Amino acid sequence: QTVVTQEPSFSVSPGGTVTLTCGLSSGSVSTSYYPSWYQQTPGQAPRTLIYSTNTRSSGVPDRFSGSILGNKAALTITGAQADDECDYYCVLYMGSGIWVFGGGTKLTVL
Amino acid sequence: EVQLVESGGGLVQPGGSLRLSCAASGFTFSSYAMSWVRRAPGKGLEWVSAISGGGGSTYYADSVKGRFTISRDNSKNTLYLQMKSLRAEDTAIYYCAKSLGGVNYPIDYWGQGTLVTVSS
């Protein structure tokens, strides 16, 4: 069974830049997987940040960007702010109507 | 404005059943695939199930296949998740989510979630 991999945790300084990645236990992530990124703060519903590799959802600041880096999907946050501290999830489309989320990355801003 | 409002969560004993509902508004419901996603305590998001806009095609995660049934009533703009043979590991917040298009399109809107607790 294919596993979607993410860094369990990451740390960034206020104002800094961080790149979170989303990979596969076997194989490479491409645009065909429609990689998408979601942000979730404790006690809140998830919020869509990026869909289909690099399209920002409505209202998402351009500090957030998506791409393919090597064999993984990537979410880059520039000018990190205190309220960026939360959990980030990627999801990949496996075909046949099936989606699989990564385990999530807990981002700390300090 | 897109709104998704879940209901039907609660406490249920292991082996029991529960039906979740999601009332949708602010978009042409029948034109979009819909999904259920859950987050168990201390764990990450898990995609559970999806259904096409017309309701004719359904998809499930292996963890719920054969126990959960997704359905929709496009005349009522409502999505459902019938859950049977519930286990402790099904305890989670269940989110209703709208896709950008068909089932192969990512989620763009989320509901606030409804809590399901499976415990004796």
Side-chain angles (χ1 to χ4, degrees), chain B residues 42-103:
Chain B
K43 298 201 172 182
L45 296 175
E46 179 186 14
W47 176 85
V48 172
S49 182
I51 186 168
S52 60
S57 298
T58 58
Y59 308 90
Y60 300 93
D62 286 344
S63 58
V64 306
K65 198 175 296 182
R67 300 187 300 122
F68 289 11
T69 302
I70 191 171
S71 62
R72 63 193 297 161
D73 186 335
N74 287 345
S75 69
K76 296 182 178 179
N77 288 354
T78 303
L79 175 72
Y80 302 100
L81 185 67
Q82 177 69 52
M83 304 184 293
K84 297 180 179 179
S85 302
L86 283 162
R87 307 165 180 166
E89 55 264 35
D90 295 317
T91 294
I93 298 174
Y94 284 74
Y95 298 99
C96 163
K98 169 190 168 292
S99 291
L100 280 154
V103 294

Side-chain angles (χ1 to χ4, degrees), chain A residues 36 38 40 45 48 87 89 96 99, chain B residues 39 59 95 103 106-108 111:
Chain A
S36 303
Y38 303 91
Q40 190 174 31
T48 301
D87 296 328
Y89 294 92
S96 302
W99 292 84
Chain B
R39 185 170 184 180
Y59 308 90
Y95 298 99
V103 294
I107 290 167
D108 59 351

